[in-house]
Amino acid sequence: MARLVECVPNFSVSKEKDEAVFQGLVDVAKSVPNCMVIDVQSDGNHNRCVFTIVGAPEAIEEVAFQLTKKATETIDMTKHQGQHPRMGSTDVVPFIPTMDVTIEECVEISKRVAKRIWEELQVPSFLYEESASRPERRNLATCRKGQFEGMPEKLLDPDWAPDFGERKIHPTAGIIAIGARIPLIAYNINLDTSDLSVAKKIANSIRAAKGGFQCCKAIGVMLEERNIAQVSMNLTNTDITPIYYVFEMVKALADRYGARIIGTELVGLTPGKALLDCAEFYLKLENFNYRTQVMEYNLL
Amino acid sequence: MARLVECVPNFSVSKEKDEAVFQGLVDVAKSVPNCMVIDVQSDGNHNRCVFTIVGAPEAIEEVAFQLTKKATETIDMTKHQGQHPRMGSTDVVPFIPTMDVTIEECVEISKRVAKRIWEELQVPSFLYEESASRPERRNLATCRKGQFEGMPEKLLDPDWAPDFGERKIHPTAGIIAIGARIPLIAYNINLDTSDLSVAKKIANSIRAAKGGFQCCKAIGVMLEERNIAQVSMNLTNTDITPIYYVFEMVKALADRYGARIIGTELVGLTPGKALLDCAEFYLKLENFNYRTQVMEYNLL
């Protein structure tokens, strides 16, 4: 069984605005052994791109550094324009435990990468999310507030010294947010009602902040084009709060309000185990071990 | 997405009775690139071993030949004793489509391997299961009847010329059954009753032969140590007859006889898709594509 970490670094360049620089990053991402580029998204309006890379912890550490090096050498933030908030050529580098790796190990990876980036590239960084050195730095938006242009002043604020590096940005590469992040599953449940208040009441009942499931964030939203209400969720740890917990609870609460579940959706990449856990639950599987019994896990 | 074939060759040697010869086969199995030895089972009483290997079609074809070559060189059937029926040093070589490969392609693989084994090793073979040249050869037990000792005579029977090779066995390696096989999922459902007739009636209702599901073979058995009845099934194609079909139908039928499902079990390796299909069904997932949305499938 492979140990796997996911890294989803964001860079302040787009294929649409500067294809050569963008392609340079793609080439670097694909050049590091023992990791795989699963997805690359580029947005011209944001003038920004996002890589999704999965691989062995050591390989992920290396590819994160090499990409940052390339971005530092090729992206000049003094000339960058785009709609999305950003503070560096390499803007944010999250590490996400994926298989047989703990969040603590990802925190260590993030700190080693941040240290190396400062020592070898002289780009400072904030540690955010699980790696944060103080509570207010957990939030990426808080770290990034002021953006590239406001950072020189922000770094002089007593509360905003970088976690790695001196109190000044890299002149062209700015500053980076680096950290470990718990894997999120974005899961939405659609109801057969156009009454938004039903979805909101259900969301209120199941979310951690209101006495619901420990690892569930939920809101009620309208899907205007379908005229139905949706419970939109982030599940932050499906080992603790499995998908079938929220499905069954939403089903029961919807019933109480006279509504039914008509469909659900997973947004983006989901670890297979989160779904195999649901198959195990609904099929009442005894002594099931996905690592030995599911063929694909023998190949990873 | 990788194209994968599974091969489960059986050899007439065991770790318990001849570790050196057994290890020779293991070394060959591990020496072929682009395939992976998932499991090796050895049984001293049967004096037999079974490899489970998964890999690219070309690699599987090569490893099947190389293992047969090694077995032909190192196992002498004139000296073999064991409880399990057998007719060759390499006894049976099934090819099973696993991912993005058709059963027809596996039939072609089996024929190419059988041809090469005859041409380069002078070991004859019967094609069986989906590769069979006539209906009675589909069944492995029918092909193997007479075993190694009775084969010289059997091959002279007008009905039993080998599909590849002359009408005589290899003097020390015998003859082989080679063929393509549809992947089987062995799935059992346990009931909260000690009345075997309930399991038998349910099995009768769901199996293909009795008007039930197209790709389901089922019998009722007693689990003596737990004193409960079980519906024991082979699902021969879960794309056509998904696991949740049989689960839901057994649930409904058990209810009709006043019984309940208390647990189920998967025996051996199961393709992940068969279980992801169940998660999709029970969670009512919309627009779900396991190939793009389940992380592990992006790594294969």
Side-chain angles (χ1 to χ4, degrees):
Chain A
M1 179 62 61
R3 299 178 74 234
L4 295 174
V5 173
E6 182 184 357
C7 185
V8 191
N10 292 224
F11 303 96
S12 297
V13 69
S14 60
K15 184 178 185 182
E16 294 78 1
K17 294 286 166 64
D18 195 336
E19 186 160 0
V21 169
F22 170 82
Q23 191 57 46
L25 291 174
V26 173
D27 294 343
V28 168
K30 292 186 174 171
S31 72
V32 177
N34 287 319
C35 58
M36 186 174 291
V37 180
I38 285 184
D39 191 38
V40 185
Q41 304 260 353
S42 174
D43 186 312
N45 292 322
H46 289 177
N47 198 8
R48 182 179 182 88
C49 61
V50 181
F51 287 68
T52 302
I53 309 170
V54 175
E58 303 73 23
I60 285 294
E61 203 170 316
E62 181 66 16
V63 77
F65 174 79
Q66 293 300 341
L67 279 169
T68 301
K69 182 164 187 283
K70 188 73 176 178
T72 302
E73 291 164 357
T74 57
I75 303 172
D76 183 351
M77 290 304 291
T78 64
K79 296 175 179 149
H80 181 270
Q81 290 194 312
Q83 289 171 9
H84 195 288
R86 76 287 177 274
M87 60 182 176
S89 302
T90 304
D91 195 57
V92 49
V93 184
F95 297 95
I96 304 150
T98 296
M99 202 186 294
D100 277 343
V101 171
T102 64
I103 186 72
E104 289 77 17
E105 289 175 278
C106 287
V107 168
E108 291 310 308
I109 289 170
S110 72
K111 290 181 179 173
R112 278 197 301 270
V113 170
K115 182 166 185 281
R116 186 173 171 199
I117 287 171
W118 169 247
E119 290 175 353
E120 297 187 29
L121 309 176
Q122 287 78 55
V123 184
S125 56
F126 296 127
L127 295 173
Y128 84 116
E129 285 268 355
E130 299 299 317
S131 305
S133 57
R134 41 208 298 181
E136 67 273 21
R137 293 196 182 184
R138 291 183 70 90
N139 187 283
L140 176 61
T142 309
C143 292
R144 197 156 51 196
K145 195 175 175 193
Q147 298 196 50
F148 175 75
E149 291 76 7
M151 278 298 146
E153 190 183 334
K154 179 172 180 171
L155 296 190
L156 299 176
D157 181 324
D159 287 341
W160 285 100
D163 289 291
F164 286 91
E166 297 173 3
R167 283 182 180 266
K168 58 178 182 186
I169 61 168
H170 183 287
T172 56
I175 182 167
I176 315 171
I178 304 178
R181 202 181 75 190
I182 287 168
L184 272 188
I185 294 181
Y187 183 58
N188 301 323
I189 298 183
N190 298 328
L191 305 175
D192 68 345
T193 177
S194 58
D195 184 351
L196 175 59
S197 74
V198 171
K200 287 190 168 178
K201 280 184 276 193
I202 292 173
N204 245 326
S205 299
I206 60 168
R207 66 185 180 218
K210 297 277 183 164
F213 294 117
Q214 189 183 344
C215 300
C216 174
K217 300 175 183 179
I219 57 171
V221 299
M222 268 313 275
L223 297 192
E224 301 294 348
E225 70 280 15
R226 293 172 67 181
N227 196 33
I228 56 173
Q230 179 184 77
V231 183
S232 179
M233 290 164 283
N234 276 329
L235 306 179
T236 55
N237 188 336
T238 52
D239 286 332
I240 295 173
T241 302
I243 299 175
Y244 58 84
Y245 277 26
V246 302
F247 181 89
E248 290 297 322
M249 195 64 202
V250 169
K251 184 167 120 179
L253 289 164
D255 185 54
R256 179 242 177 281
Y257 296 114
R260 293 183 67 241
I261 293 174
I262 55 173
T264 78
E265 58 182 2
L266 287 164
V267 183
L269 276 183
T270 302
K273 179 176 182 296
L275 292 169
L276 295 174
D277 285 346
C278 294
E280 180 180 11
F281 173 78
Y282 287 108
L283 296 176
K284 303 187 184 200
L285 289 172
E286 296 178 354
N287 304 316
F288 177 67
N289 182 335
Y290 75 100
R291 287 167 190 271
T292 56
Q293 290 191 260
V294 175
M295 181 174 294
E296 288 81 348
Y297 285 87
N298 286 282
L299 305 174
L300 290 173
Chain B
M1 178 63 61
R3 298 178 75 235
L4 295 175
V5 173
E6 183 183 358
C7 184
V8 191
N10 291 224
F11 303 96
S12 296
V13 69
S14 59
K15 185 178 186 182
E16 295 78 2
K17 293 288 165 62
D18 194 335
E19 185 159 0
V21 169
F22 170 83
Q23 190 58 47
L25 291 174
V26 172
D27 293 344
V28 167
K30 293 185 173 169
S31 72
V32 177
N34 286 319
C35 59
M36 188 174 291
V37 180
I38 284 183
D39 191 38
V40 184
Q41 302 261 351
S42 174
D43 185 311
N45 293 321
H46 289 176
N47 198 10
R48 183 180 184 85
C49 61
V50 180
F51 286 68
T52 303
I53 309 172
V54 175
E58 303 73 25
I60 285 294
E61 204 170 314
E62 181 67 16
V63 77
F65 174 79
Q66 293 299 339
L67 279 168
T68 301
K69 182 166 188 281
K70 189 72 175 180
T72 302
E73 292 164 356
T74 57
I75 302 173
D76 183 352
M77 290 304 291
T78 65
K79 294 175 181 148
H80 182 271
Q81 290 194 313
Q83 289 171 8
H84 195 287
R86 77 287 178 275
M87 58 182 178
S89 302
T90 305
D91 194 56
V92 51
V93 184
F95 297 94
I96 305 150
T98 297
M99 202 185 294
D100 275 343
V101 171
T102 64
I103 186 71
E104 289 77 17
E105 289 177 278
C106 287
V107 169
E108 291 309 309
I109 290 171
S110 72
K111 290 180 179 175
R112 278 197 301 270
V113 170
K115 182 165 186 280
R116 185 174 173 198
I117 288 171
W118 169 246
E119 290 176 352
E120 297 187 30
L121 309 176
Q122 287 77 53
V123 185
S125 56
F126 296 128
L127 295 173
Y128 84 117
E129 285 268 355
E130 299 299 317
S131 304
S133 56
R134 41 209 296 182
E136 67 273 22
R137 294 196 182 184
R138 290 182 72 91
N139 186 282
L140 176 62
T142 308
C143 292
R144 196 156 53 195
K145 196 173 175 196
Q147 296 197 50
F148 175 74
E149 291 76 7
M151 279 297 147
E153 191 186 331
K154 179 173 180 171
L155 295 190
L156 299 177
D157 182 323
D159 287 341
W160 285 99
D163 288 292
F164 287 91
E166 299 171 3
R167 283 183 181 267
K168 59 180 184 187
I169 62 168
H170 183 287
T172 55
I175 183 168
I176 315 171
I178 304 178
R181 204 180 74 191
I182 286 168
L184 273 187
I185 294 181
Y187 182 58
N188 301 323
I189 297 183
N190 299 327
L191 305 175
D192 69 345
T193 177
S194 56
D195 184 351
L196 175 59
S197 73
V198 171
K200 286 189 168 179
K201 280 184 277 194
I202 292 173
N204 246 324
S205 300
I206 61 169
R207 67 186 180 217
K210 298 275 184 167
F213 294 117
Q214 189 184 344
C215 300
C216 175
K217 300 175 182 178
I219 56 171
V221 298
M222 266 315 274
L223 296 192
E224 301 293 350
E225 70 279 15
R226 291 172 69 179
N227 195 33
I228 57 172
Q230 179 184 78
V231 183
S232 179
M233 289 163 284
N234 276 329
L235 305 179
T236 55
N237 188 335
T238 51
D239 286 332
I240 295 174
T241 302
I243 300 176
Y244 58 85
Y245 278 26
V246 304
F247 181 90
E248 290 297 323
M249 195 64 203
V250 169
K251 185 168 122 181
L253 289 164
D255 185 54
R256 178 243 176 281
Y257 296 114
R260 291 182 69 241
I261 293 173
I262 55 174
T264 78
E265 59 182 1
L266 287 165
V267 183
L269 276 184
T270 302
K273 179 177 183 295
L275 293 168
L276 296 174
D277 284 345
C278 294
E280 181 180 11
F281 173 79
Y282 288 108
L283 295 176
K284 303 187 184 197
L285 289 171
E286 296 177 355
N287 303 318
F288 178 67
N289 183 334
Y290 74 99
R291 287 168 190 270
T292 56
Q293 290 192 261
V294 175
M295 182 174 293
E296 288 81 349
Y297 284 87
N298 286 283
L299 306 174
L300 290 173

